[in-house]
Amino acid sequence: MTIGGEDEPAAPSTRPQSLIFSFLGIYALDHGGAIASGSVIEVFARLDVSEEAVRSTLARMVKRNLLTRHRRGRKAYLGLTPHAVAVLQDGRRRVWETGAVNRDWDGTWTVVGFSLPDSRRSTRHDLRSRLIWAGFGPVQSGLWIAPGAKDVTGLFDSLDVDDHVTVLTASAYKPTEAADLVAKAFDIEQIARRYRAFLARWDVPRPLPDAPDDLVRQLLLHTDWLQLVRQDPHLPAEHLPPDWPAIRAEQVFHTRAAGYERPAREVADGVLDMLIP
């Protein structure tokens, strides 16, 4: 199966861990059980992910307190930890509730201001990375914004920056315009390119024709989409171009996800060995 090649549009990373998270979110999150590691290996062989790569990824996830091992005879089963459940539930909310298009913005911004000395340059880099991941963009040096009221609880954990950070909610007043803040703080074209790449891959008559079945297509679709919405700062729709590609991309995702659900589950039911409490 071809996941990427010269003739295909650029697509989000399909690292084994990202795919495994998608798989667990669809097939393990609601059951509270455990899946045989051999089943996971069999599923990911369909995605051309080697047994060695799957085993090493699962081992890292166990070490990071995302999975827990269970033994039944000679078989090893993997269950979700509370930490993994929280991560997967957050992903589900982003996919099915938050979505890609912010039509309900109330005009407020969450503002984070910080100032760190040069001796803490590494911490400053980590803080900026976390802000980007949380959907913030820089208005100017040391001043970052995100649309709406953002819960930043835990965002600064382990950085020891509480004395150097100020968090506020605010509204724009003249001469500052909300549209200017969007253009200044966020790379609109880069965000649009990601959605156009998604559409080039999935908004076609037969996506991934070389894939062996719809289980593979389902996992790749969900992985692509979750990575997109995780990177999207969820900017207010009224300050984006009228042909914003996220609108069409969201429609395509929902249509494809619904179309793959039943045939993918039929394949999964024939492959998965699960312990259900």
Side-chain angles (χ1 to χ4, degrees):
M1 181 189 62
T2 300
I3 291 179
E6 292 181 353
D7 296 327
E8 289 195 334
S13 167
T14 48
R15 293 183 304 124
Q17 181 168 296
S18 299
L19 290 163
I20 288 174
F21 267 121
S22 293
F23 169 73
L24 294 172
I26 298 169
Y27 292 104
L29 182 58
D30 291 332
H31 298 295
I35 302 177
S37 58
S39 293
V40 181
I41 290 167
E42 186 174 347
V43 167
F44 282 86
R46 298 166 181 267
L47 287 129
D48 287 343
V49 180
S50 70
E51 179 176 342
E52 180 183 3
V54 174
R55 288 191 184 278
S56 64
T57 300
L58 294 176
R60 286 196 301 272
M61 294 175 76
V62 170
K63 189 173 182 179
R64 292 175 55 205
N65 191 35
L66 292 165
L67 296 174
T68 181
R69 295 186 192 274
H70 306 275
R71 278 280 176 185
R72 290 296 184 274
R74 300 180 63 183
K75 290 185 177 181
Y77 289 80
L78 296 161
L80 301 177
T81 64
H83 177 42
V85 169
V87 171
L88 293 172
Q89 287 176 337
D90 175 67
R92 177 176 288 180
R93 283 191 296 269
R94 289 176 185 255
V95 168
W96 299 109
E97 297 175 24
T98 305
V101 183
N102 185 352
R103 299 182 178 91
D104 303 315
W105 184 57
D106 62 1
T108 62
W109 299 89
T110 299
V111 181
V112 174
F114 62 89
S115 178
L116 292 169
D118 286 343
S119 60
R120 302 195 62 188
R121 188 173 302 170
S122 176
T123 302
R124 190 164 56 211
H125 172 77
D126 290 343
L127 176 57
R128 288 169 177 163
S129 297
R130 292 191 187 189
L131 287 169
I132 291 170
W133 184 247
F136 285 81
V139 176
Q140 59 192 54
S141 179
L143 188 65
W144 292 59
I145 61 170
K150 292 277 189 179
D151 182 3
V152 298
T153 304
L155 187 63
F156 311 122
D157 285 356
S158 77
L159 293 182
D160 188 26
V161 295
D162 288 0
D163 292 339
H164 303 275
V165 170
T166 301
V167 182
L168 305 166
T169 56
S171 300
Y173 290 95
K174 291 185 179 300
T176 302
E177 298 287 351
D180 296 333
L181 290 175
V182 169
K184 182 183 293 185
F186 302 95
D187 189 339
I188 303 300
E189 183 52 37
Q190 183 184 61
I191 299 168
R193 279 198 300 270
R194 295 188 191 119
Y195 282 109
R196 286 194 289 265
F198 178 88
L199 288 169
R201 195 180 201 196
W202 295 105
D203 193 17
V204 294
R206 294 181 62 241
L208 303 184
D210 295 334
D213 52 50
D214 282 346
L215 175 58
V216 167
R217 294 185 184 91
Q218 180 192 52
L219 295 177
L220 289 169
L221 172 74
H222 279 254
T223 302
D224 283 1
W225 186 248
L226 181 55
Q227 291 190 356
L228 260 183
V229 296
R230 280 193 183 280
Q231 295 178 82
D232 190 334
H234 213 230
L235 299 172
E238 63 261 42
H239 297 302
L240 295 170
D243 59 346
W244 187 241
I247 298 171
R248 175 62 183 167
E250 188 169 64
Q251 295 169 346
V252 169
F253 168 74
H254 284 285
T255 299
R256 294 293 181 204
Y260 294 148
E261 184 174 5
R262 178 175 292 182
R265 191 164 293 275
E266 289 175 355
V267 175
D269 287 345
V271 173
L272 297 183
D273 176 7
M274 299 188 67
L275 293 175
I276 305 296

